[in-house]
Amino acid sequence: STDRQPSDDTYPRLRELQEETMTGVALFLCVLCGVVGLSVAGVDSVQELSQAVLDLQQRVTDLESSSVLVAFHAQYSGKTIPIEESDVFVLDNVMTNVGNAYDASTGVFTAPTTATYMFAFSVMGDWKTVLYAGLRVGDGPSYGDTDKAVVRILADSRKSGWDLASGSAVVELTTGKKVWLTAGTKPLNETVVKGKLYTNFSGFRIPATPNTA
């Protein structure tokens, strides 16, 4: 019988197989070196490796959370707004609402993430009146037993004719907690709030520095 001679394309195919084999070996060695490197670095068990992955995932989550921007500023659209005891100041004219955490229909801010927030507000009552106001934190105005006053202010214009009062607070909030302004608990006697630029409510999330240790 006649010996079969290799075809012209046999040797190139052999070279391709050799290259693929060498590539696979190289990848295997890289993975092996990576595992050995982790072991040398102190990750010498599956449990520790799993914990290292979880720690990295948590750092990524912290970085993403720290980059969330939240800021709002609102005022009344009307010139004068009647206000009664325990009423919520529903400032409906929203100038800024980055993150959409402030609800203009209710006057309530809802924390989108667990973080530290800064809030500031100012109120002005009508001519020769007394206006009490407070910044409150809790589960919402309808949950009276769970909220608390953080700041209270008093605008007393009985002597001066006009008086504007302001307050501010730095508050740590968990996700879903709410912040709002409410009229004080003392009798108000037909008090109205001066709107437009005179009564304002604003706040923002204080950026956190992630723990990279």
Side-chain angles (χ1 to χ4, degrees):
S1 62
T2 304
D3 294 335
R4 177 176 296 178
Q5 299 296 322
S7 62
D8 293 339
D9 60 349
T10 300
Y11 294 111
R13 179 56 184 157
L14 288 175
R15 285 194 294 270
E16 290 178 3
L17 290 174
Q18 290 175 343
E19 291 174 357
E20 292 174 359
T21 302
M22 293 302 296
T23 300
V25 172
L27 288 173
F28 173 77
L29 290 175
C30 288
V31 173
L32 181 61
C33 289
V35 173
V36 172
L38 288 173
S39 179
V40 171
V43 184
D44 53 3
S45 69
V46 174
Q47 290 79 8
E48 290 177 345
L49 181 58
S50 299
Q51 185 59 50
V53 172
L54 291 175
D55 291 342
L56 288 174
Q57 290 176 336
Q58 184 60 50
R59 291 185 183 182
V60 171
T61 300
D62 292 342
L63 285 171
E64 292 176 344
S65 177
S66 66
S67 65
V68 175
L69 297 179
V70 180
F72 77 96
H73 178 74
Q75 56 188 218
Y76 281 115
S77 59
K79 292 184 178 180
T80 57
I81 298 89
I83 195 79
E84 297 182 1
E85 179 180 340
S86 300
D87 278 356
V88 175
F89 290 77
V90 183
L91 289 86
D92 58 315
N93 185 21
V94 180
M95 313 297 291
T96 303
N97 199 10
V98 179
N100 296 315
Y102 177 78
D103 188 344
S105 65
T106 62
V108 176
F109 169 88
T110 303
T113 61
T114 297
T116 303
Y117 296 83
M118 170 73 183
F119 296 95
F121 63 99
S122 62
V123 298
M124 176 182 279
D126 200 8
W127 177 260
K128 292 188 178 300
T129 60
V130 179
L131 176 61
Y132 299 88
L135 182 74
R136 304 190 72 84
V137 176
D139 295 324
S142 60
Y143 299 89
D145 294 336
T146 62
D147 66 86
K148 64 178 181 179
V150 179
V151 179
R152 290 191 179 97
I153 60 174
L154 167 64
D156 188 349
S157 61
R158 289 174 294 183
K159 293 183 179 181
S160 62
W162 299 103
D163 188 30
L164 183 148
S166 61
S168 61
V170 176
V171 184
E172 292 183 348
L173 300 175
T174 56
T175 301
K177 284 297 182 180
K178 303 179 185 301
V179 180
W180 65 97
L181 295 177
T182 185
T185 56
K186 295 185 178 181
L188 299 176
N189 298 326
E190 299 181 355
T191 295
V192 300
V193 180
K194 297 292 290 184
K196 299 295 185 179
L197 301 178
Y198 298 105
T199 299
N200 302 269
F201 183 27
S202 60
F204 62 91
R205 181 185 185 277
I206 300 175
T209 301
N211 181 13
T212 57

